[in-house]
Amino acid sequence: MKKATPKSRSVTVSDVAREAKVSKATAARVLGGYGAVSDKVHADVMAAAKALDYRPNELARSMTTGKSGIIGVVVGDIENPFFSLAVRGISDAARAAGFNVILANSGEQIEVEKAAVRLLIGKRVDGLIVTPAESRDISHLRDIYRSGRPLALLDRALPDLDVDTVTVDDRDVAMRATRILVEAGHREIAYVTAVDADGGRFRDLTQIYTSSVRERIEGFLAVCHDAGIADPKRHVHLGATSPEETCRIATKLLSPSDRPTAILASDSLIGLEIFKVILALGLSVPKDISLITFHDADWTSVTSPPITVVDQPVYSLGKSVAELLIRRLQGDTRPAERLVLPTSIIERGSVGSPPKRSLETAG
Amino acid sequence: MKKATPKSRSVTVSDVAREAKVSKATAARVLGGYGAVSDKVHADVMAAAKALDYRPNELARSMTTGKSGIIGVVVGDIENPFFSLAVRGISDAARAAGFNVILANSGEQIEVEKAAVRLLIGKRVDGLIVTPAESRDISHLRDIYRSGRPLALLDRALPDLDVDTVTVDDRDVAMRATRILVEAGHREIAYVTAVDADGGRFRDLTQIYTSSVRERIEGFLAVCHDAGIADPKRHVHLGATSPEETCRIATKLLSPSDRPTAILASDSLIGLEIFKVILALGLSVPKDISLITFHDADWTSVTSPPITVVDQPVYSLGKSVAELLIRRLQGDTRPAERLVLPTSIIERGSVGSPPKRSLETAG
DNA sequence: GTGAAAGCGCTAACAA
DNA sequence: TTGTTAGCGCTTTCAC
């Protein structure tokens, strides 16, 4: 045995063919599992392949076929549990259909996202799933389309790009979450999001180029408005892009001077950081401040009190978008589909009445 | 502008060459950034490439060069924050050196790990970083070596495989953690790990094929033994492979009959699940039970009390192993290096004296 | 500095 | 059923 190539050139179809005393084409047929071959030849070639320890060169294979069996995925931040869970959904669906997944991280930076897309197209992935960081600059996404490979969007829709898209009902669930706060008596509700623009100052929705975030803010503002809260815009805080930034924002937000009575956090990383600051400041949830966060992350159920969360069907989000893409890869030509998955709110213990202090000062 | 290929064949070097009225070789030279070309020709070719919207076919490129500029990474579970953080370390180091990363998940299943390795070799990655799920079956890892591509091991060493390896001082830190518990007066200390063998029954260390886990258990047992604790082996619990299994194990463990006074959890996922069960059972940390977990995960600092943890340099672990691998890719031929990074323990509030009850029943 | 031609490992017509 | 012959898009001698 072990005639193995120590470190020289790897063994090719030709080598196997020679060893099995058949033509290159015949060897390729059994090795590649296509065409028809007699049982004897099949056995001979397999034996030769085993003896030589043949490994197919996937590169050469996909160069001739034009398919790679790979789905490229570009997400904002793989360290965010939201995305890791979605990626597992994608991976499971991909594996079930015989595809592999290459993962790239954009860090929510448009330039990195562009580079990743370029790389993946260069590697000739069969299709792409992207969580677009912006809706302004989507030239690279149009390029994908023009390259003839299917593209599907995850979690964030792009009105101008008519491709398969799976999102959740962000606007609606943001309204429901805000309503819970309003109905508990809150009038000073802050919304904190990672998306940044104009140095963190929120003016209006046209600044926000991430559809999911825009919809959430939209829902938040709508409910605040309906509740007769004056100028709710001033309570929207942008730029919680890192734990450090979030800490800075939360510390400022929670200083006694102009403290809101409730906070809505746009993702679990932000929610966690805010909760840490609340703890550090010696404040109590929900007595001093109420908190709701998007994403039913691990930590939200083990704090005291446990945190009320917006529970998105994250795994399904990934699974569905992958399934949609795979259908395209298999030749589906139906018009682009826009799936909106329903979300729910898990009420735990982090919402209460606003503290009396605020009633006094408000009066 | 936008002469773009609507969805037909993509534009190749030949196309650009024709457009620029030079030979294929010349066009390839400027497009590929090698060889020498006159300024004029360079400009012409670039102009033609832009006009035609040329995109290099990375596949063809790496087929001829034999290099792909890609590092393949196979980890146990990307949803485990330990691995996502390590992967960020790898990605950062890779990007800094101009490499890209493709990620595969083994789910800690040896067969999946093998398939992933096979795929990555087939895709002709330049090198691999693997977190081997087992030390018994490493034929696929030897294959990597034989294929001539460098391999580096992350977090788990393999005595029989002499390749670059980066681990932490698991044995030592497990001893320190156990000692904290012993010195607080605990005599009934449980160790819970994800590794499974023989249906969860722990007999001896030869069952454990994951080096990091074996070392931890080794350290744990050594300190227990030194403390004069009788038969500490009975306190080692295997098989916490999923939240469900961990919940089952923890529930059994925490039933009043034979409850330990302290628990050491082998990763943060296990620690979290145990903490949830403790909460659900209405027990109090550290009054009723003390807890230490490996990995300084998010949630450990926001619980009441916050959890004492083993703080591994996870990001550095990833960064270092990638740097080692990249050195090989750049031609380093020094003998394989085995780096062992130091860890520390962050003492928070989850360790206290054993409850009186245990003293009574022990007497 | 530039071009012609060979070849990477594989698949895909087309013949036999 | 099997073999022959072209390529896929790129890099890389080796001449000019």
Side-chain angles (χ1 to χ4, degrees):
Chain A
M1 279 279 155
K2 292 261 168 89
K3 234 185 205 174
T5 35
K7 61 177 356 180
S8 63
R9 204 183 98 277
S10 46
V11 350
T12 74
V13 174
S14 299
D15 298 327
V16 176
R18 199 178 319 114
E19 176 84 5
K21 298 185 202 311
V22 296
S23 78
K24 207 175 78 173
T26 304
R29 274 191 267 262
V30 5
L31 263 16
Y34 57 94
V37 252
S38 67
D39 287 1
K40 184 190 168 359
V41 170
H42 181 96
D44 287 357
V45 172
M46 288 311 269
K50 186 156 212 172
L52 262 40
D53 192 31
Y54 166 81
R55 309 299 176 90
N57 183 333
E58 299 291 343
L59 243 49
R61 189 169 278 178
S62 41
M63 209 176 78
T64 47
T65 59
K67 334 220 115 295
S68 61
I70 292 189
I71 293 173
V73 179
V74 184
V75 297
D77 173 17
I78 191 60
E79 279 185 85
N80 187 327
F82 177 90
F83 288 117
S84 13
L85 185 51
V87 166
R88 182 153 69 82
I90 293 174
S91 301
D92 288 353
R95 182 166 323 159
F99 286 92
N100 287 99
V101 168
I102 306 196
L103 197 60
N105 223 70
S106 76
E108 301 289 7
Q109 292 170 274
I110 186 72
E111 286 309 324
V112 179
E113 180 180 309
K114 283 182 172 188
V117 165
R118 208 176 307 128
L119 175 83
L120 292 173
I121 295 184
K123 297 291 178 196
R124 294 299 188 263
V125 295
D126 291 345
L128 281 100
I129 295 174
V130 178
T131 305
E134 285 198 8
S135 57
R136 272 179 303 184
D137 189 354
I138 56 169
S139 54
H140 56 301
L141 300 182
R142 295 194 183 284
D143 284 355
I144 299 176
Y145 180 75
R146 285 195 292 137
S147 82
R149 308 179 183 277
L151 162 69
L153 264 27
L154 171 63
D155 184 49
R156 300 169 191 173
L158 252 24
D160 296 346
L161 209 58
D162 192 32
V163 300
D164 291 325
T165 303
V166 184
T167 56
V168 298
D169 54 351
D170 283 293
R171 184 170 188 282
D172 187 58
V173 80
M175 291 181 70
R176 279 180 283 151
T178 310
R179 221 171 267 136
I180 287 177
L181 262 10
V182 166
E183 282 167 7
H186 294 275
R187 316 276 306 162
E188 305 280 313
I189 308 170
Y191 187 95
V192 183
T193 180
V195 165
D196 201 1
D198 298 312
R201 278 259 162 277
F202 178 75
R203 278 193 324 275
D204 60 70
L205 288 166
T206 62
Q207 288 173 288
I208 310 298
Y209 299 106
T210 306
S211 72
S212 54
V213 171
R214 189 177 41 237
E215 298 211 347
R216 290 179 195 174
I217 297 180
E218 207 174 297
F220 167 75
L221 292 177
V223 171
C224 286
H225 188 261
D226 285 357
I229 295 171
D231 193 22
K233 284 181 190 176
R234 77 201 142 92
H235 283 133
V236 175
H237 300 267
L238 311 178
T241 50
S242 66
E244 293 72 29
E245 280 303 301
T246 308
C247 180
R248 201 182 51 69
I249 292 170
T251 305
K252 183 148 171 287
L253 197 60
L254 292 167
S255 66
S257 62
D258 191 29
R259 184 188 302 158
T261 62
I263 300 180
L264 193 48
S266 197
D267 72 44
S268 70
L269 265 26
I270 295 175
L272 175 67
E273 213 55 40
I274 291 176
F275 189 74
K276 281 186 185 172
V277 173
I278 291 175
L279 249 38
L281 258 30
L283 297 173
S284 159
V285 173
K287 197 165 65 65
D288 299 316
I289 188 142
S290 291
L291 178 66
I292 296 183
T293 181
F294 275 75
H295 189 57
D296 181 26
D298 273 353
W299 65 271
T300 57
S301 63
V302 292
T303 49
S304 307
I307 310 294
T308 293
V309 298
V310 170
D311 185 27
Q312 299 145 304
V314 188
Y315 178 84
S316 302
L317 210 55
K319 190 151 181 278
S320 304
V321 74
E323 285 168 351
L324 245 39
L325 183 74
I326 290 166
R327 281 212 321 227
R328 295 282 164 206
L329 295 178
Q330 290 168 166
D332 183 355
T333 57
R334 271 176 289 188
E337 199 161 325
R338 290 181 186 250
L339 234 53
V340 178
L341 304 185
T343 58
S344 61
I345 291 184
I346 302 178
E347 298 202 43
R348 297 207 263 245
S350 62
V351 175
S353 314
K356 289 199 218 80
R357 174 186 62 74
S358 102
L359 292 178
E360 287 160 13
T361 59
Chain B
M1 276 278 159
K2 289 264 169 91
K3 235 187 211 178
T5 35
K7 62 179 353 181
S8 64
R9 207 183 97 278
S10 47
V11 352
T12 75
V13 174
S14 298
D15 298 327
V16 176
R18 196 176 323 113
E19 176 85 4
K21 299 183 200 309
V22 296
S23 76
K24 206 175 80 172
T26 304
R29 274 191 268 262
V30 2
L31 262 17
Y34 56 93
V37 254
S38 67
D39 286 0
K40 182 190 171 357
V41 170
H42 181 96
D44 288 356
V45 172
M46 290 310 269
K50 187 156 211 170
L52 262 42
D53 192 32
Y54 166 80
R55 310 299 177 89
N57 182 333
E58 297 292 342
L59 242 49
R61 190 169 275 178
S62 40
M63 208 176 78
T64 47
T65 59
K67 331 221 117 295
S68 60
I70 292 191
I71 293 174
V73 178
V74 183
V75 296
D77 173 17
I78 192 60
E79 278 185 85
N80 187 326
F82 177 91
F83 287 117
S84 16
L85 186 50
V87 166
R88 183 154 66 84
I90 293 174
S91 301
D92 287 354
R95 180 166 323 160
F99 286 91
N100 286 100
V101 168
I102 111 171
L103 195 60
N105 223 67
S106 77
E108 301 289 7
Q109 292 171 274
I110 186 72
E111 287 308 325
V112 180
E113 179 180 310
K114 284 182 172 189
V117 165
R118 207 175 310 128
L119 175 83
L120 292 173
I121 296 184
K123 295 293 178 194
R124 296 299 189 264
V125 296
D126 291 346
L128 281 100
I129 295 174
V130 179
T131 306
E134 284 199 8
S135 57
R136 275 178 301 186
D137 189 354
I138 55 169
S139 53
H140 56 300
L141 299 181
R142 295 193 184 286
D143 284 355
I144 298 177
Y145 180 76
R146 285 194 292 138
S147 82
R149 308 182 182 274
L151 163 69
L153 264 27
L154 170 65
D155 184 50
R156 300 168 189 173
L158 253 21
D160 297 346
L161 208 59
D162 193 33
V163 300
D164 291 325
T165 304
V166 184
T167 55
V168 299
D169 55 351
D170 283 293
R171 186 173 187 281
D172 187 57
V173 80
M175 292 182 70
R176 278 180 284 151
T178 311
R179 221 172 265 135
I180 288 176
L181 261 9
V182 166
E183 282 168 6
H186 294 276
R187 316 276 304 161
E188 307 280 314
I189 308 170
Y191 187 95
V192 183
T193 181
V195 166
D196 201 1
D198 299 310
R201 277 260 161 278
F202 179 74
R203 279 195 322 276
D204 59 67
L205 288 166
T206 61
Q207 289 172 286
I208 310 298
Y209 299 106
T210 305
S211 72
S212 54
V213 171
R214 188 174 46 237
E215 298 210 348
R216 289 177 196 175
I217 298 180
E218 207 175 297
F220 167 74
L221 292 177
V223 170
C224 286
H225 188 261
D226 286 357
I229 295 170
D231 192 23
K233 283 180 191 174
R234 77 200 141 92
H235 284 133
V236 175
H237 301 265
L238 311 178
T241 50
S242 67
E244 292 73 28
E245 281 302 300
T246 308
C247 180
R248 202 183 49 71
I249 292 171
T251 305
K252 184 149 170 287
L253 197 61
L254 293 168
S255 66
S257 63
D258 192 29
R259 183 188 302 159
T261 63
I263 300 180
L264 194 47
S266 199
D267 73 43
S268 70
L269 264 28
I270 296 176
L272 175 66
E273 213 54 40
I274 291 176
F275 189 74
K276 282 185 185 171
V277 173
I278 291 175
L279 250 36
L281 258 31
L283 297 172
S284 158
V285 173
K287 197 165 67 63
D288 300 317
I289 188 142
S290 291
L291 177 66
I292 295 182
T293 181
F294 275 76
H295 190 56
D296 181 26
D298 272 353
W299 65 271
T300 57
S301 63
V302 291
T303 50
S304 310
I307 311 294
T308 295
V309 298
V310 170
D311 184 28
Q312 299 146 306
V314 188
Y315 178 84
S316 302
L317 209 57
K319 189 151 182 278
S320 304
V321 74
E323 284 168 350
L324 245 40
L325 183 75
I326 289 166
R327 280 212 321 228
R328 296 281 164 206
L329 294 178
Q330 291 169 166
D332 184 354
T333 57
R334 271 177 287 188
E337 198 160 326
R338 288 180 187 254
L339 233 54
V340 179
L341 304 185
T343 59
S344 61
I345 291 184
I346 302 178
E347 299 203 43
R348 298 206 260 243
S350 64
V351 175
S353 313
K356 290 200 216 77
R357 174 185 63 75
S358 101
L359 292 176
E360 287 160 13
T361 59

